[in-house]
Amino acid sequence: MSSFPPAVPLNDGGHGHEYGPRMDAVRRPTPEEVAEIEERFVALIEGRLSRDEADRWAARRTAAEGLDWDDTSWWALNPLHGVDLPAGPDGRYLHDEEQLRTWLTELRHRRRTG
């Protein structure tokens, strides 16, 4: 079962063949969807998820129509979407492992106090 809103025809000049998400179906993410953000950070730090996979997952979540993310979730999705950015040609990443752990700690702090 998909957590995305159902597709409806777009205004495509009367051709009737293009579809997209319902714009009127805005909803808050489920607790499971919110928890999944932290799970992605943990999997990334533990090496169970690649930086490319984390980036692509976060890109889909930030672009998902119809989801009204809370401020903390939005804050956490943004660094995940870009976590695979290279620092240069030497193979290092712009954000190192320490930065990932700092973001995870900050996310947990914001969840507890927010």
Side-chain angles (χ1 to χ4, degrees), residues 25-29 34 61 64-71 73-74:
V26 174
R27 66 173 178 82
R28 297 295 277 183
V34 171
R61 303 314 293 167
E65 295 287 342
L67 285 178
D68 182 22
W69 293 102
D70 62 273
D71 290 342
S73 295
W74 189 249

Side-chain angles (χ1 to χ4, degrees), residues 7-105:
V8 295
L10 295 174
N11 183 359
D12 67 342
H15 300 288
H17 63 275
E18 295 182 338
Y19 287 83
R22 290 182 53 168
M23 298 304 184
D24 62 341
V26 174
R27 66 173 178 82
R28 297 295 277 183
T30 65
E32 293 80 15
E33 288 171 315
V34 171
E36 191 173 9
I37 298 169
E38 183 174 335
E39 292 168 12
R40 297 292 168 147
F41 270 108
V42 171
L44 184 58
I45 291 166
E46 292 178 349
R48 295 181 287 116
L49 185 68
S50 74
R51 285 175 178 256
D52 183 58
E53 290 168 325
D55 172 74
R56 284 185 284 147
W57 177 85
R60 287 190 304 273
R61 303 314 293 167
T62 58
E65 295 287 342
L67 285 178
D68 182 22
W69 293 102
D70 62 273
D71 290 342
T72 297
S73 295
W74 189 249
W75 170 86
L77 283 167
N78 279 291
L80 276 177
H81 183 201
V83 73
D84 64 342
L85 293 172
D90 62 1
R92 290 182 302 124
Y93 291 101
L94 184 60
H95 306 291
D96 62 16
E97 298 295 319
E98 182 178 338
Q99 182 68 61
L100 298 178
R101 286 188 290 278
T102 299
W103 285 333
L104 178 58
T105 299

